[in-house]
Amino acid sequence: MTQSKTWVRIRFGIVILGLIIIIPFLYMVIMSLTPDSEVGDGTLFPSHWAWGNYVTMWSNIGLGQYLMNSVIISAATGFLATVIAFGAAYVISRFKFRGRKVLLYSLITMQTVPQVMMLLPLFIVIVFIQQAFGIRLVGQYYTIVTTYLTFALPFACWLLISYFENIPIDLEEAAQVDGATRLQLLFRVVLPLMLPGMVVAFVFSFLLSWGDVLFASVLTSNTTRTIGVGLQAFLSAGDAGGGVYWGQLMAASLTSGIPIVVIFLLLQRYILGGLTSGAVKS
């Protein structure tokens, strides 16, 4: 009897949690289909569905360019963070060298520093280098990608180190006995076993850069502006006196989440496997 009551409470909690997540999403959907003239009326359902919001947002907000910029920056950040972290995590987990613990502690320290505290010093350094060497850094893809790597790499390294510790070193020693070089055992033995963890590292690094507005608002230009900054600029322009087109804004916000949903659907098998295997140490 006690067990049945526990299951009822668990299911009730799941339903409540689901409603907390679903209700705001449904409200965004309704708002995206509401004519702008009816947004402030307080009615839950509009008199007619304004499907045109999903058409006009592309030209009024410039959503296509923002999405492309976000995909380029986020994909580059995720790929570079995963590749670099793979090599760094392998060296840290498999070799003993002087300064190893200092390096590990520095990775933890990078995770504890609030990002907002890094913004001003980082911007000053970038502007100084830009003026000293006469090269343009602000507004370039590689500048914002490098900035995101400073936050994505520590997390990706710690994540992949835990995966390397779950791989028995006997497999590598057996491959070396069979004549495999270090690179051969790395790509033919270790890499296939590390694939779920690398997918998780890529997804989280991708999400870190996709959802950022703080650094992107300072380090991007009109041509490299990301989706978060673009939506913020559209909202600010409306607040400045032009009026906020909430239907288009909600439609653009929902559309901007499609790439994330697609990534999770395509990689969910690896993500679930990666999260569970990384949580257990053999």
Side-chain angles (χ1 to χ4, degrees), residues 19-91:
L19 291 176
I20 293 175
I21 297 173
I22 292 176
I23 289 177
F25 174 77
L26 292 178
Y27 183 73
M28 287 183 64
V29 174
I30 295 174
M31 284 283 291
S32 69
L33 297 173
T34 300
D36 295 315
S37 59
E38 301 181 12
V39 170
D41 294 343
T43 57
L44 183 59
F45 294 101
S47 59
H48 64 279
W49 302 113
W51 296 100
N53 289 335
Y54 284 89
V55 178
T56 56
M57 69 176 182
W58 295 97
S59 57
N60 292 346
I61 301 179
L63 191 65
Q65 181 66 36
Y66 299 150
L67 282 175
M68 185 181 68
N69 291 336
S70 292
V71 169
I72 293 174
I73 293 172
S74 300
T77 302
F79 175 78
L80 292 175
T82 304
V83 172
I84 297 173
F86 176 78
Y90 180 77
V91 172

Side-chain angles (χ1 to χ4, degrees), residues 28-231:
M28 287 183 64
V29 174
I30 295 174
M31 284 283 291
S32 69
L33 297 173
T34 300
D36 295 315
S37 59
E38 301 181 12
V39 170
D41 294 343
T43 57
L44 183 59
F45 294 101
S47 59
H48 64 279
W49 302 113
W51 296 100
N53 289 335
Y54 284 89
V55 178
T56 56
M57 69 176 182
W58 295 97
S59 57
N60 292 346
I61 301 179
L63 191 65
Q65 181 66 36
Y66 299 150
L67 282 175
M68 185 181 68
N69 291 336
S70 292
V71 169
I72 293 174
I73 293 172
S74 300
T77 302
F79 175 78
L80 292 175
T82 304
V83 172
I84 297 173
F86 176 78
Y90 180 77
V91 172
I92 293 174
S93 61
R94 290 295 188 260
F95 298 97
K96 306 297 182 181
F97 54 89
R98 183 177 299 177
R100 180 176 179 271
K101 289 186 177 180
V102 175
L103 179 58
L104 288 173
Y105 292 148
S106 66
L107 294 177
I108 299 177
T109 304
M110 285 298 298
Q111 293 295 101
T112 59
V113 177
Q115 294 185 5
V116 67
M117 294 181 60
M118 299 288 293
L119 179 60
L120 182 58
L122 182 63
F123 181 74
I124 293 175
V125 170
I126 291 175
V127 172
F128 175 79
I129 296 174
Q130 184 173 259
Q131 295 177 349
F133 294 94
I135 57 176
R136 184 183 177 188
L137 296 178
V138 177
Q140 302 297 316
Y141 286 124
Y142 51 80
T143 303
I144 190 68
V145 169
T146 304
T147 302
Y148 289 150
L149 285 176
T150 60
F151 302 103
L153 268 177
F155 172 80
C157 284
W158 267 107
L159 180 68
L160 295 184
I161 287 173
S162 65
Y163 285 97
F164 274 115
E165 293 178 351
N166 291 330
I167 299 177
I169 197 171
D170 297 341
L171 296 176
E172 300 177 40
E173 294 176 348
Q176 287 180 317
V177 170
D178 293 336
T181 63
R182 179 70 66 175
L183 287 177
Q184 286 176 336
L185 68 89
L186 189 63
F187 287 102
R188 297 183 180 181
V189 178
V190 178
L191 185 60
L193 298 175
M194 287 290 296
L195 186 59
M198 295 179 68
V199 170
V200 174
F202 172 82
V203 169
F204 277 92
S205 300
F206 187 97
L207 291 176
L208 183 146
S209 55
W210 185 273
D212 173 72
V213 176
L214 180 64
F215 289 93
S217 61
V218 177
L219 299 177
T220 58
S221 61
N222 291 332
T223 57
T224 59
R225 184 176 290 173
T226 58
I227 183 65
V229 180
L231 294 179

